[in-house]
Amino acid sequence: FDFIISEDKENYDLSTEFAPTEAGEYTVFISSGVTIGATSTALKAFTTGAQAAGVSLILIVRGAILGAGGAGADGPVVIVPSPQDSPTSSYKQGTSGFRGGDALEITCSVTINASQGVVYSGGGGAPSVFSSADSTSTPVFTFAGNGGSGGQGYVGGKGGTAGKAIVSETKTDIASAGVDGSRSSAGSVGGISGGSWGSESGFNADSGPASQAGYAILSNGNSVTVIGDNDLTIKGRRDF
């Protein structure tokens, strides 16, 4: 092997440690038991980085490359005046959570051998549920929607804040906040879950739309060949 990664990394840019100056094919080996993870959906778990023209890589993954989980959406807040002031009704739809983070970004020609390792993007964050308040009815009506739960990831997505429905000086309804995702599972509340590794979130008729998983492999238009490509070794979207 031309370069061996034998210890855990976060938000890793290969070119900071391995960037050949001569054109050619080079083999990079990620050892068994090594985890390379992203601490935020704004960052890639692993990027090949700035490589010289004519450099191609064989990337052998025996460990794990893991994206971050997407955050859940905040629950909507609705406030209407009391019946004695100006009776009003208000409704706010739930919103989509945030997409999961990317695992592997490619910046040159790469052959990926994942037959004995895993490349997983983060799961999408779950949507929130609608909130509604009505002071024109008797009795007044309130329904507060739950926040969305976070997706599974190297760092799980944060759950969204609880929705609120308030009739001023009369009645307040506070829903449940979304549950944080983690490395072991997506969060879930009220029957709506964040996405597991490489999967979009759940949703239902009362919520906002599902959010997408991140990219397991983001090629940026570069040539990518995958060995050991199956649903167990690679989870998430890809752009090729």
Side-chain angles (χ1 to χ4, degrees), residues 19-232:
T21 56
E22 299 292 330
E25 184 175 78
Y26 301 86
T27 300
V28 175
F29 183 82
I30 301 173
S31 299
S32 177
V34 169
T35 299
I36 301 175
T39 60
S40 165
T41 55
L43 300 169
K44 317 301 182 190
F46 184 118
T47 178
T48 52
Q51 299 292 341
V55 167
S56 62
L57 300 173
I58 298 173
L59 180 62
I60 302 175
V61 183
R62 294 291 183 263
I65 301 175
L66 306 175
D74 289 339
V77 176
V78 294
I79 304 174
V80 299
S82 71
Q84 292 76 30
D85 291 334
S86 179
T88 306
S89 63
S90 179
Y91 171 93
K92 286 187 179 179
Q93 292 181 328
T95 57
S96 177
F98 297 86
R99 85 168 183 89
D102 302 330
L104 176 58
E105 180 184 48
I106 302 302
T107 58
C108 61
S109 177
V110 175
T111 296
I112 302 164
N113 185 331
S115 58
Q116 298 179 51
V118 299
V119 180
Y120 293 167
S121 70
S128 58
V129 172
F130 78 89
S131 293
S132 178
D134 187 353
S135 58
T136 67
S137 64
T138 303
V140 297
F141 171 82
T142 56
F143 177 87
N146 294 333
S149 294
Q152 186 175 13
Y154 174 77
V155 171
K158 291 291 185 182
T161 57
K164 297 179 182 180
I166 302 170
V167 177
S168 296
E169 303 175 354
T170 308
K171 185 179 181 183
T172 297
D173 184 17
I174 301 175
S176 297
V179 175
D180 293 347
S182 68
R183 202 173 301 180
S184 60
S185 66
S188 182
V189 67
I192 304 176
S193 299
S196 58
W197 292 119
S199 299
E200 68 175 22
S201 72
F203 71 103
N204 66 23
D206 295 329
S207 76
S211 66
Q212 293 181 311
Y215 284 95
I217 305 171
L218 187 61
S219 72
N220 294 302
N222 294 288
S223 173
V224 176
T225 301
V226 181
I227 299 170
D229 188 358
N230 61 64
D231 291 341
L232 295 178

